[in-house]
C-alpha cells in the first residue's frame, strides 16, 4: 500500500501542478494554445498512468486471493495481440518504435492476420499479452516483434524487444511479487507475477530469456483448450 500510495502521488502532483498552470494562465490571459495543449497532455498521461497502476494492482490482488474464476470462451489470439498492441501503440508513437505481429507491421491498414484460435479467459489473456507489450514499449530501442506459433496442443506467444535486456542474475526474479530490476523504469513489479498467475490458471507457462544489451524475449505458452 505504501509503494502504491507513493507511486500514485507523483502523477497526482503533476495533474494538480499543470491544472493550476492552466487555471492561472486562463485567468491572466497568458496561456497560449501550445502551452494549453502541452499541459493537457501531461495531465492525460499522468491520469493514464494512475489508471494503469490502480488497474494492475486490483488485478494482481484478485488473482493473488485465489478467488478468480475464469470465464472461458473461444477467441482469436492474433486479434488479442493486435488489440493489445494497437491500444498501447499510442505510447509507441512518442518514440519511433515499430511493432510487428507475425511479420506484419502494426499500421492502421494492417494486413489480416491468420487467426490462432484458443480457449481461455479472454480478458486475462489480453491483459497478459498487453503486459508483455507495455513492458517491451518501456524498454525497446526501436523494434518489438510479437510472434504467435501454433502447435498441436498449445500456442506459444513471444514478445521480443531490442532494449537493454535483463541481467542474468535477475531473470528468474522478475516474475516474483514486486520485483523490479534496480535502475529500471518506474513500475509496480506486479505485472509479470500477474502474467505468471494467469498462465498457471490456464495450465500454461510464462517465462523470459534475455541477453544483457541484446534485448529480451518474453514467452507465454497456453494450451489451446481448457480442461481437455
Ligand atoms: P513493472 O513493469 O510494473 O515494473 P513487471 O512485473 O511487469 O513490473 O516487471 C518487473 C521488472 O522486470 C521490471 O521492473 C523490469 O525491471 C523488468 N522487465 C520487464 N520487462 C522488461 C523488458 N522488456 N526489458 C527489460 N526489463 C524488463
Amino acid at each position: 500500500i505504501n509503494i502504491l500510495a507513493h507511486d500514485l502521488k507523483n502523477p497526482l502532483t503533476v495533474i494538480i501542478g499543470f491544472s493550476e498552470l492552466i487555471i492561472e494562465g486562463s485567468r491572466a490571459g497568458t496561456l497560449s494554445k501550445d502551452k494549453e495543449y502541452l499541459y493537457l497532455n501531461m495531465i492525460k498521461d499522468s491520469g493514464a498512468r494512475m489508471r494503469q497502476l490502480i488497474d494492475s494492482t486490483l488485478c494482481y490482488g484478485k488473482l493473488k486471493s485465489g478467488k478468480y474464476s475464469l470465464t472461458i470462451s473461444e477467441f482469436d489470439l492474433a486479434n488479442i495481440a493486435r488489440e493489445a498492441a494497437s491500444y498501447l501503440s499510442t505510447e509507441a508513437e512518442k518514440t519511433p518504435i515499430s511493432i510487428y505481429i507475425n511479420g506484419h507491421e502494426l499500421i492502421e491498414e494492417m494486413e489480416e492476420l491468420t487467426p490462432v484460435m484458443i480457449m481461455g479467459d479472454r480478458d486475462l489473456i489480453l491483459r497478459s499479452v498487453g503486459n508483455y507489450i507495455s513492458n517491451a514499449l518501456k524498454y525497446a530501442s526501436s523494434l518489438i516483434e510479437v510472434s504467435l506459433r501454433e502447435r498441436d496442443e498449445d500456442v506459444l506467444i513471444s514478445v521480443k524487444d531490442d532494449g537493454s535486456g535483463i541481467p542474468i542474475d535477475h531473470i528468474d526474479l522478475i516474475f516474483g511479487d514486486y520485483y523490479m530490476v534496480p535502475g529500471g523504469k518506474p513500475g509496480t513489479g506486479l505485472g509479470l507475477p500477474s502474467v505468471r498467475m494467469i498462465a498457471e490458471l490456464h495450465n500454461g507457462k510464462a517465462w523470459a530469456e534475455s541477453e544483457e544489451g541484446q534485448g529480451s524475449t518474453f514467452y507465454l505458452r497456453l494450451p489451446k483448450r481448457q480442461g481437455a
Side-chain angles (χ1 to χ4, degrees):
I1 287 170
N2 271 343
I3 295 169
L4 180 67
H6 184 263
D7 285 350
L8 286 173
K9 232 174 136 180
N10 289 338
L12 203 50
T13 305
V14 173
I15 290 173
I16 295 169
F18 282 102
S19 302
E20 280 170 357
L21 285 177
I22 293 175
I23 293 166
E24 280 158 25
S26 305
R27 191 188 298 133
T30 53
L31 186 69
S32 69
K33 277 280 155 218
D34 282 354
K35 273 192 182 157
E36 186 183 39
Y37 181 77
L38 181 75
Y39 297 165
L40 286 171
N41 265 302
M42 301 288 279
I43 291 170
K44 184 182 133 273
D45 288 350
S46 296
R49 165 127 189 84
M50 290 179 78
R51 186 176 57 190
Q52 195 267 330
L53 272 168
I54 292 168
D55 204 41
S56 63
T57 310
L58 287 176
C59 176
Y60 168 83
K62 215 168 160 192
L63 288 164
K64 194 78 183 170
S65 73
K67 288 182 192 139
Y68 209 105
S69 53
L70 298 180
T71 307
I72 304 290
S73 64
E74 191 174 27
F75 56 87
D76 176 12
L77 205 55
N79 230 334
I80 289 270
R82 186 181 174 153
E83 191 179 325
S86 305
Y87 173 69
L88 295 160
S89 64
T90 35
E91 287 173 56
E93 274 170 24
K94 286 179 201 156
T95 45
I97 295 175
S98 310
I99 305 179
Y100 285 83
I101 304 174
N102 274 358
H104 301 282
E105 187 168 11
L106 182 80
I107 44 172
E108 244 172 65
E109 280 114 47
M110 189 184 181
E111 291 164 56
E112 277 300 311
L113 296 166
T114 309
V116 178
M117 301 307 292
I118 69 158
M119 280 172 80
D121 188 307
R122 194 181 186 280
D123 284 352
L124 289 185
I125 291 172
L126 175 64
R127 184 176 286 276
S128 303
V129 176
N131 215 291
Y132 279 175
I133 296 175
S134 75
N135 277 346
L137 281 165
K138 279 204 243 174
Y139 290 94
S141 305
S142 63
L143 181 66
I144 296 173
E145 290 169 283
V146 181
S147 104
L148 305 161
R149 267 165 279 169
E150 201 169 355
R151 304 190 294 199
D152 282 350
E153 300 293 325
D154 57 22
V155 175
L156 183 66
I157 307 148
S158 62
V159 179
K160 183 176 191 284
D161 67 69
D162 62 348
S164 51
I166 300 155
I168 187 81
D169 46 334
H170 293 270
I171 197 93
D172 289 333
L173 303 172
I174 53 171
F175 283 87
D177 295 352
Y178 306 107
Y179 195 83
M180 294 189 274
V181 178
K185 309 261 164 123
T188 56
L190 296 179
L192 294 178
S194 301
V195 175
R196 184 157 275 178
M197 283 191 276
I198 292 166
E200 283 165 3
L201 276 174
H202 286 85
N203 300 311
K205 201 179 161 201
W207 73 100
E209 289 169 6
S210 178
E211 209 175 310
E212 223 179 327
Q214 304 286 314
S216 320
T217 309
F218 283 80
Y219 296 93
L220 178 61
R221 184 175 55 71
L222 294 167
K224 278 188 191 164
R225 321 210 144 264
Q226 289 300 308

